[in-house]
Amino acid sequence: MAKIPTALHDHIASAYPANVIQIATVLPDGFAQITLRGSVVVLDDETFGMWERGRGSTNENLTDGSKVTLFYRNTALKEELPVAGVARFYGTAEIHNSGEVYDRVWNEMIELERERDPEKKGYAILIKCERAEDFRGNAL
């Protein structure tokens, strides 16, 4: 497992709306599906949490074991991310439709995202970070 730099934890949790994190999944035809997510949080040094409430192709492609890439850019973070303010995180998704992880992701994401799913019809996704890189592919 790779570490999510501690200096980025709070920045990632508060990325929405100025520096929204993008998630990439793989479509059945092999193309990347890239979309914005405002619900990404850091649960620990190796794990992201995300709330999935969408009903499109990203949702259709997220299953247990799906490979995903998270892309974060914040040009204000010159010390933490000196190369273009970019961090890429690669990992594997784990779906949670109920239970402790489901509740934790729900409770830790920003209020605006909870307001967009008032009936809690979505689900939680854990992403175990396997690689963390800067813009040039160097380990963070």
Side-chain angles (χ1 to χ4, degrees):
M1 288 295 146
K3 298 283 187 195
I4 303 161
T6 303
L8 296 179
H9 288 202
D10 290 339
H11 294 289
I12 289 169
S14 63
Y16 185 86
N19 300 294
V20 179
I21 293 178
Q22 298 173 44
I23 182 172
T25 58
V26 180
L27 295 170
D29 61 8
F31 286 101
Q33 173 66 29
I34 302 169
T35 190
L36 304 172
R37 286 295 179 262
S39 64
V40 177
V41 296
V42 178
L43 299 176
D44 61 43
D45 287 343
E46 299 174 341
T47 313
F48 293 97
M50 185 181 84
W51 190 258
E52 176 57 44
R53 61 180 170 76
R55 300 293 174 246
S57 57
T58 299
N59 179 284
E60 292 171 9
N61 292 312
L62 280 169
T63 60
D64 274 328
S66 293
K67 298 294 186 185
V68 298
T69 300
L70 298 177
F71 181 89
Y72 175 66
R73 183 169 190 239
N74 185 337
T75 57
L77 300 178
K78 293 178 182 5
E79 285 190 36
E80 297 87 347
L81 299 171
V83 184
V86 169
R88 290 188 188 104
F89 302 97
Y90 303 87
T92 303
E94 182 180 296
I95 307 300
H96 292 267
N97 292 303
S98 63
E100 184 179 327
V101 170
Y102 175 90
D103 292 335
R104 183 173 177 201
V105 171
W106 174 263
N107 290 326
E108 290 196 24
M109 73 179 162
I110 61 173
E111 181 65 28
L112 183 58
E113 283 295 307
R114 288 193 299 267
E115 290 171 1
R116 292 182 173 156
D117 190 5
E119 297 174 17
K120 281 178 87 171
K121 291 184 176 182
Y123 56 91
I125 302 167
L126 285 187
I127 300 169
K128 293 293 188 179
C129 186
E130 297 169 24
R131 284 182 10 224
E133 301 176 348
D134 70 10
F135 188 67
R136 292 189 178 127
N138 298 314
L140 292 177

